[in-house]
Amino acid sequence: MMVEIRTILLAEDNPKDVELTLEALGDHNLANNVIVMRDGVETMDYLHCEGKYKQRKPGNPAVLLLDIKMPRMDGIEVLKAIRSDKKLHTLPVVMLTSSREEQDLIKSYELGVNAYVVKPVNFKEFIEAVKQLGVFWAVINEVPPSSKLSDKE
Amino acid sequence: MTQKALQESEQKFRETVTYLDEGYYSVTIDGLLLDHNQAFSRILGFDIAKDLKGAKLPDFWQVPEDRKQYLNELIAHGFIRNYMVNAKKINGEKIDVMMNSHLVKDEKGGLVRIEGTFTDFTQLKLTEEALKESETKYRTLFENAQVGMYRSKIDGSAMLDVNKKFGEILGLTREESLGKAGQILWADPEDRNKMMKLLKGQGGILYNYEARLLAKNGEVRNVLASIKLNPEEGSLDGTFVDITERKRAEKALQESERIISEQFEKLNEAQHIAMIGSWEWNLQTNHVWWSDETYRIFGVTPQNFVPSFEANGKFIHPDDVANYGKSFEHSIQTGEPLDIELRLVTNDGLLKHCNGKGKIIYDDSGQPIRFVGTMMDITGRKRAEGTLRNSEAFLNNIIDQSPVPMWISDDKGILIRINKACCSILKITEQDVIGKYNVIEDNIVQEQGLLSDVRRVFDNGETVRFEIRYNTSKLEGFSLESEAEVILDTTIFPIKDYKGKVTNAVIQHMDITERRLAEEEIRKLNTELEDRVVMRTAQLEASNKELEAFSYSVSHDLRAPLRHVSGYVELLYKHFQSDLSEKGQHYLFSISDSVRQMGVLIDDLLQFSRTGRIEMSQSDVDMNEIVKEVTESLCKDNPDRKIEWVQEKLSSVYGDKAMLHLVWMNLLGNAVKFTRTRKNARIEIGVHKEKKELVFFVRDNGVGFNMQYAHKLFGVFQRLHSTEEFEGTGIGLANVHRIVLRHGGRTWAEAEPDKGAVFYFSIPKK
């Protein structure tokens, strides 16, 4: 394959959502490059190469698909932390959430989210949306320089 | 003839000689008397009947030497004229005679006889001497007379004689006066002509003629002259006295008389104005004098009334007569001044109040001689006093009866009057405070920092107003029986005299205790209310938060499992389709459909929740524009529908555009939906402009509804049609209602089944 598939970081606490999301991404062979985080804290550990991710290869993922409602540290807090971190602030972040709340939208855009996608209830639509996301961010989109390092695999 | 003529001539001569008044004699040189007449005998004292011819001429020379001198002169000159001789009569009585003698000679020139006449000059001489003496006397008199005397030429060309006084009056010496032209002495030369005319007209004599003469120093002297025209002497004889000083004095007198009379007039006038008359009672003559004003006060005139102590009494009011007599008597006896108030019934029948004052004047021996005094008409003052007393009583009444608590202080702040209302609210009595309480020393005033306000009234004459909480039991220096606790809205204003000095202060209270307590109650209630509002708000906020959290949950947490159901159904279908029977596939389809429906419900519910929560962003909204957008969008969504749109021009409103968009979307969407069964759908859009609001409406010719259920129309999830008939969640009109409500408007509807429906909503005018 000439197409370079880069790592997608998926922060999602609900295993069913994870499964369905991976199912959607699997259709385009994108599922193998997905690393799933169970909450915000784990996400930040991963990004900072801390905790159980101390040993991981350095480098940022191509995109972070971020759910808002998560235990311990929610998506908004994660986004805020990323945008205020020198090493991480250019990381593309896409909110992938059930919330259509205006407040969440406004806050996310204010914090500099790259895209905001509401998970459609209809599974077909959901699959379609996730597929497009995966393809766009993991394949089409040119990542910022700092993200490329981790992709040499 | 000659002899006869001679004899006749001799006879004539003889007669002449005989009756001549002068003595005649003819005598020989030897002294023998040849002839004489009777006068000769009479003068020399002889018997006139005796003929002395031939007798020797008696020696009548007093001094014998005188005869020799006489003879010598006679012989030398042949005659002698007017020769005075001191002779003597025969009885030796001395006489003076004046002799005229001549020698009679013969043809040869020989001396024949001496003839002569003589007159008795003694009488003449005596007369002359008397005359001389008299002249001296008159001259002395003339000279020393204390009137100016003069004689001047009639034509005034020269003064012939003047006396000393003349010179004194005019400041001239005798030498300077004499020969001086008369007229130059007149102050005005014309005056002399006038005088002359008058003089002639009055027969040559003028008495007491006033003339103005010019003194040497140029001063004009007024003189009173008597002038006599003396034609024999060709002179004017005049006397005059200097009346310059008298004139001056007269003038001064006149002036002072004028001044006095003027003063008297003024006094009269002043008395009239002041209504004070004066009087004088001569205790010795019993005569009473009144000034004009006194007459006026009594209503009489000097013509119709003669005042006297007794006569005056009849004008005294009967009740005052006794006092009248007693008072005068007392004054006369004790010498104390008189001061009485009397009522008069005047001649013209008026009742007058008068004040009589008087004083006794004593002579050097201490005898009372006069009683002088004044009489003042004080009727006006009495009346004014009455009026004043009335108005004072009036004011006192007002103050006392006033429901406004007030009291009055003097210039020091000491309470001098207090009204009932004030006593009542403070639960004090007049005795407690009058003359004792001083606002400047009031500790309650001081404690509440109001002393400076109070001082401004007394020091600067300002009016001040303040509120004071007064508890009389806290007032120091007073032990009051009851206690009053009040809140007073107090106004203090100064009363000033004509110089602007503060003489009193009026303190008015308004008892605002009730009001303040009520206000406090209100404040307390308000505070409570505020607390409650805060609490309620907090509760609302909390419940809002909960609602938000709920919405969030609905949005997120409810959708997630739904999505999962949908997702797994899809996966089941995708991976195990071949394992499922047709029935099994139908179930899966039904599950999917329900999930989709629930998804729609959840979304609608969320939106409904949001319309209630989100903040309105209001501006002028053009309803035409919104309606156009909505209808266009509806037409696009329903391309196969044939709808007749009837729209009148709509008004702009002030509101939230997005929300109003939703309103129209729901109403027009419903209209489209419920006319679905109509071949010719007709949707009418319009507005009624009411007084305070704009009423928009959407009328359709759709299926309508039964008005029985109209009240359910705008409720959440309320539906009047089955889902199979017309899809929908029952949220749309609930949203419309909520949005219109938030704009301050109302919603309602009219319909009839199968005939169509009209939906109204109103938006208040701006």
Side-chain angles (χ1 to χ4, degrees):
Chain A
M1 283 280 283
M2 292 304 291
V3 180
E4 185 192 1
I5 300 168
R6 294 177 293 253
T7 309
I8 295 173
L9 199 62
L10 173 67
E12 173 64 72
D13 63 321
N14 190 316
K16 287 173 186 163
D17 269 321
V18 173
E19 191 185 350
L20 291 172
T21 305
L22 291 177
E23 183 81 20
L25 292 171
D27 283 2
H28 284 77
N29 298 319
L30 295 169
N32 294 339
N33 299 66
V34 176
I35 301 171
V36 178
M37 300 290 129
R38 294 297 170 182
D39 61 40
V41 176
E42 191 186 354
T43 309
M44 290 316 294
D45 278 351
Y46 178 88
L47 292 172
H48 286 139
C49 302
E50 282 170 359
K52 58 178 181 180
Y53 298 104
K54 245 181 183 163
Q55 305 305 317
R56 80 160 178 98
K57 285 180 181 172
N60 287 343
V63 65
L64 167 63
L65 300 180
L66 186 60
D67 187 20
I68 288 179
K69 208 178 173 205
M70 291 185 294
R72 297 203 288 177
M73 187 177 184
D74 69 20
I76 300 288
E77 287 170 307
V78 172
L79 177 61
K80 201 171 175 181
I82 289 168
R83 290 297 179 239
S84 56
D85 188 312
K86 265 186 190 170
K87 285 181 182 168
L88 302 172
H89 74 279
T90 56
L91 176 70
V93 177
V94 174
M95 287 299 183
L96 186 61
T97 174
S98 303
S99 174
R100 233 186 209 136
E101 278 300 299
E102 218 166 89
Q103 284 303 312
D104 289 338
L105 263 163
I106 292 168
K107 233 180 241 167
S108 299
Y109 277 107
E110 276 176 358
L111 289 171
V113 81
N114 298 77
Y116 192 103
V117 177
V118 178
K119 298 171 189 166
V121 172
N122 189 294
F123 187 64
K124 281 178 186 158
E125 291 168 23
F126 177 74
I127 283 180
E128 194 55 38
V130 173
K131 258 193 228 166
Q132 283 177 13
L133 267 179
V135 169
F136 178 80
W137 289 104
V139 182
I140 302 169
N141 188 45
E142 203 64 40
V143 297
S146 61
S147 298
K148 284 184 175 173
L149 290 168
S150 63
D151 302 334
K152 308 289 183 195
E153 219 176 333
Chain B
M1 200 37 203
T2 313
Q3 188 59 41
K4 197 184 170 198
L6 191 66
Q7 275 181 332
E8 274 176 22
S9 158
E10 179 69 28
Q11 185 60 36
K12 267 183 194 164
F13 174 71
R14 176 85 5 228
E15 277 171 18
T16 307
V17 165
T18 302
Y19 301 105
L20 194 68
D21 212 21
E22 293 181 354
Y24 167 76
Y25 70 91
S26 177
V27 69
T28 64
I29 301 298
D30 304 326
L32 286 176
L33 194 57
L34 297 171
D35 200 1
H36 72 100
N37 66 355
Q38 285 180 2
F40 176 90
S41 302
R42 185 172 36 90
I43 291 167
L44 291 176
F46 293 98
D47 184 356
I48 55 169
K50 201 175 169 184
D51 191 355
L52 295 172
K53 280 175 199 155
K56 191 169 167 56
L57 188 70
D59 181 13
F60 58 81
W61 300 91
Q62 285 174 28
V63 183
E65 282 79 28
D66 288 350
R67 190 176 182 254
K68 283 178 189 163
Q69 199 183 342
Y70 162 77
L71 284 173
N72 288 343
E73 269 196 45
L74 181 64
I75 291 159
H77 296 96
F79 65 93
I80 203 163
R81 293 275 179 264
N82 295 339
Y83 193 86
M84 289 296 288
V85 175
N86 298 322
K88 54 186 178 188
K89 288 188 184 182
I90 50 163
N91 61 359
E93 194 183 338
K94 288 177 182 172
I95 55 168
D96 293 318
V97 296
M98 189 168 72
M99 311 227 345
N100 287 290
S101 306
H102 62 270
L103 294 174
V104 180
K105 292 176 183 175
D106 59 13
E107 286 103 31
K108 293 163 195 163
L111 188 64
V112 179
R113 62 177 188 269
I114 300 166
E115 278 181 356
T117 59
F118 63 90
T119 52
D120 184 350
F121 216 74
T122 311
Q123 203 54 50
L124 198 67
K125 198 175 173 192
L126 276 178
T127 309
E128 200 174 88
E129 263 172 15
L131 198 65
K132 206 178 253 170
E133 198 182 328
S134 145
E135 203 192 314
T136 310
K137 215 195 282 173
Y138 277 109
R139 167 58 62 185
T140 311
L141 201 61
F142 177 77
E143 272 306 318
N144 296 313
Q146 284 309 298
V147 293
M149 290 184 170
Y150 69 94
R151 166 171 285 182
S152 73
K153 287 192 175 169
I154 291 179
D155 61 2
S157 60
M159 293 306 286
L160 299 174
D161 201 356
V162 298
N163 73 349
K164 212 161 97 198
K165 191 68 183 177
F166 177 95
E168 276 174 21
I169 292 171
L170 297 174
L172 298 165
T173 61
R174 188 177 159 77
E175 288 67 35
E176 284 170 331
S177 304
L178 289 178
K180 202 164 194 171
Q183 64 261 36
I184 64 158
L185 298 172
W186 291 80
D188 183 351
E190 260 309 297
D191 284 356
R192 188 171 197 273
N193 298 336
K194 281 184 201 158
M195 183 272 291
M196 288 304 291
K197 224 172 169 181
L198 206 60
L199 187 62
K200 281 169 188 161
Q202 299 207 351
I205 294 187
L206 267 181
Y207 290 110
N208 294 335
Y209 176 77
E210 266 194 53
R212 294 163 73 243
L213 300 181
L214 208 56
K216 188 186 174 187
N217 62 4
E219 261 180 28
V220 171
R221 312 298 302 185
N222 290 84
V223 299
L224 195 63
S226 295
I227 304 162
K228 188 166 181 277
L229 189 64
N230 196 343
E232 291 127 54
E233 297 284 337
S235 69
L236 281 178
D237 297 339
T239 62
F240 58 84
V241 287
D242 185 356
I243 56 166
T244 311
E245 288 309 315
R246 198 172 87 200
K247 271 277 182 196
R248 213 167 275 161
E250 251 172 37
K251 217 167 168 190
L253 190 66
Q254 271 170 15
E255 179 64 12
S256 60
E257 266 171 6
R258 190 185 62 74
I259 289 167
I260 287 166
S261 95
E262 223 168 63
Q263 294 293 341
F264 195 70
E265 272 303 304
K266 278 183 189 162
L267 184 66
N268 259 340
E269 206 173 313
Q271 287 196 350
H272 185 41
I273 291 166
M275 291 189 286
I276 301 174
S278 51
W279 50 266
E280 187 174 324
W281 179 13
N282 190 320
L283 296 171
Q284 285 163 340
T285 64
N286 211 29
H287 173 258
V288 173
W289 171 88
W290 275 4
S291 74
D292 289 355
E293 185 58 20
T294 310
Y295 280 102
R296 212 171 287 131
I297 289 171
F298 278 79
V300 292
T301 65
Q303 288 74 43
N304 66 14
F305 183 72
V306 179
S308 73
F309 181 76
E310 292 73 25
N312 304 347
K314 72 168 185 171
F315 293 117
I316 311 288
H317 190 280
D319 293 350
D320 292 345
V321 168
N323 189 31
Y324 166 66
K326 230 186 278 168
S327 299
F328 272 84
E329 205 176 314
H330 178 78
S331 278
I332 293 168
Q333 277 172 3
T334 62
E336 282 172 21
L338 175 82
D339 189 352
I340 47 167
E341 267 193 24
L342 291 172
R343 279 164 295 169
L344 299 183
V345 180
T346 68
N347 201 31
D348 20 19
L350 297 172
L351 179 71
K352 283 186 182 173
H353 289 267
C354 292
N355 175 218
K357 286 189 178 173
K359 197 178 152 190
I360 295 169
I361 310 283
Y362 299 88
D363 67 6
D364 293 343
S365 60
Q367 199 62 31
I369 46 168
R370 283 182 298 144
F371 206 146
V372 296
T374 56
M375 187 73 173
M376 184 176 182
D377 183 353
I378 55 168
T379 314
R381 197 177 79 195
K382 278 279 169 193
R383 205 169 291 149
E385 275 173 12
T387 312
L388 199 65
R389 261 198 299 276
N390 280 345
S391 71
E392 209 174 274
F394 178 68
L395 276 178
N396 278 343
N397 244 334
I398 289 180
I399 292 171
D400 251 3
Q401 300 305 321
S402 170
V404 177
M406 65 172 94
W407 58 275
I408 300 168
S409 86
D410 65 6
D411 60 333
K412 305 278 187 301
I414 297 169
L415 187 150
I416 57 170
R417 265 203 71 82
I418 184 162
N419 75 351
K420 285 176 189 159
C422 199
C423 287
S424 154
I425 57 156
L426 295 173
K427 294 183 183 157
I428 50 172
T429 63
E430 288 191 12
Q431 289 71 38
D432 289 335
V433 288
I434 282 186
K436 299 170 192 160
Y437 172 80
N438 186 337
V439 67
I440 292 171
E441 290 161 4
D442 184 327
N443 60 298
I444 299 175
V445 168
Q446 289 171 11
E447 281 157 20
Q448 295 188 31
L450 300 168
L451 185 59
S452 60
D453 282 333
V454 173
R455 280 205 185 285
R456 265 163 48 217
V457 178
F458 293 95
D459 298 347
N460 308 344
E462 291 174 31
T463 295
V464 300
R465 184 172 173 177
F466 52 74
E467 193 174 314
I468 185 166
R469 278 170 185 265
Y470 214 87
N471 186 333
T472 54
S473 68
K474 303 256 171 69
L475 182 60
E476 289 165 9
F478 290 83
S479 53
L480 303 168
E481 279 182 23
S482 329
E483 173 185 349
E485 189 171 3
V486 284
I487 302 169
L488 302 171
D489 178 344
T490 301
T491 304
I492 310 181
F493 61 85
I495 295 177
K496 300 170 188 176
D497 64 12
Y498 67 99
K499 286 179 189 160
K501 187 180 167 289
V502 175
T503 58
N504 296 88
V506 177
I507 297 87
Q508 284 185 339
H509 298 302
M510 212 188 309
D511 184 357
I512 54 167
T513 315
E514 293 298 318
R515 198 170 82 199
R516 279 287 175 268
L517 290 181
E519 279 172 7
E520 253 160 49
E521 189 64 24
I522 288 169
R523 208 163 20 241
K524 213 151 79 187
L525 285 175
N526 270 341
T527 313
E528 272 174 27
L529 191 66
E530 262 168 47
D531 287 350
R532 259 149 64 185
V533 166
V534 167
M535 207 164 74
R536 284 292 287 154
T537 309
Q539 285 171 349
L540 275 175
E541 271 169 11
S543 73
N544 241 350
K545 279 235 173 74
E546 273 167 29
L547 196 64
E548 249 171 76
F550 169 75
S551 303
Y552 202 84
S553 296
V554 170
S555 162
H556 195 269
D557 299 355
L558 284 189
R559 281 159 62 93
L562 207 56
R563 199 171 53 245
H564 300 155
V565 173
S566 165
Y568 286 107
V569 167
E570 204 59 42
L571 288 181
L572 191 64
Y573 196 74
K574 183 178 163 190
H575 295 297
F576 304 99
Q577 194 181 10
S578 52
D579 296 342
L580 287 173
S581 63
E582 205 170 304
K583 205 167 191 172
Q585 289 185 29
H586 167 71
Y587 292 158
L588 281 181
F589 178 78
S590 292
I591 294 169
S592 260
D593 190 52
S594 293
V595 166
R596 185 194 56 78
Q597 211 174 319
M598 191 164 173
V600 172
L601 272 173
I602 289 172
D603 281 350
D604 281 358
L605 197 58
L606 278 176
Q607 191 187 42
F608 177 71
S609 157
R610 262 202 304 276
T611 52
R613 285 183 290 126
I614 61 164
E615 282 201 16
M616 287 172 62
S617 98
Q618 293 192 320
S619 60
D620 282 324
V621 178
D622 183 358
M623 291 295 221
N624 294 300
E625 195 184 309
I626 297 177
V627 169
K628 191 173 168 238
E629 281 170 19
V630 172
T631 50
E632 273 171 8
S633 139
L634 286 170
C635 287
K636 208 164 144 194
D637 290 348
N638 301 277
D640 48 346
R641 289 284 306 280
K642 189 187 163 204
I643 299 166
E644 183 193 353
W645 296 94
V646 180
Q647 187 199 334
E648 60 182 65
K649 194 174 187 298
L650 303 175
S651 313
S652 288
V653 297
Y654 187 68
D656 185 307
K657 191 176 176 184
M659 285 188 178
L660 291 172
H661 193 276
L662 195 60
V663 168
W664 285 109
M665 193 58 166
N666 276 301
L667 292 178
L668 293 175
N670 279 351
V672 169
K673 183 170 31 173
F674 294 106
T675 53
R676 190 191 291 158
T677 55
R678 297 288 183 267
K679 253 188 182 167
N680 299 309
R682 188 175 190 275
I683 299 172
E684 201 184 321
I685 302 155
V687 64
H688 299 310
K689 290 172 186 171
E690 303 291 336
K691 203 170 176 186
K692 287 183 176 172
E693 54 186 11
L694 297 166
V695 178
F696 296 92
F697 65 89
V698 175
R699 181 178 287 123
D700 65 57
N701 59 348
V703 295
F705 58 88
N706 191 330
M707 282 299 281
Q708 198 183 335
Y709 308 110
H711 63 280
K712 290 189 171 180
L713 268 179
F714 298 98
V716 185
F717 297 136
Q718 295 290 341
R719 305 204 69 236
L720 300 185
H721 302 277
S722 68
T723 317
E724 268 139 47
E725 233 183 327
F726 294 103
E727 74 289 345
T729 54
I731 282 290
L733 287 179
N735 256 333
V736 167
H737 177 68
R738 180 169 267 189
I739 290 167
V740 170
L741 213 61
R742 287 193 74 181
H743 280 83
R746 303 168 294 133
T747 53
W748 66 102
E750 289 163 4
E752 220 179 300
D754 231 29
K755 291 263 174 76
V758 193
F759 282 84
Y760 299 94
F761 71 94
S762 71
I763 302 286
K765 283 183 176 174
K766 279 177 266 182

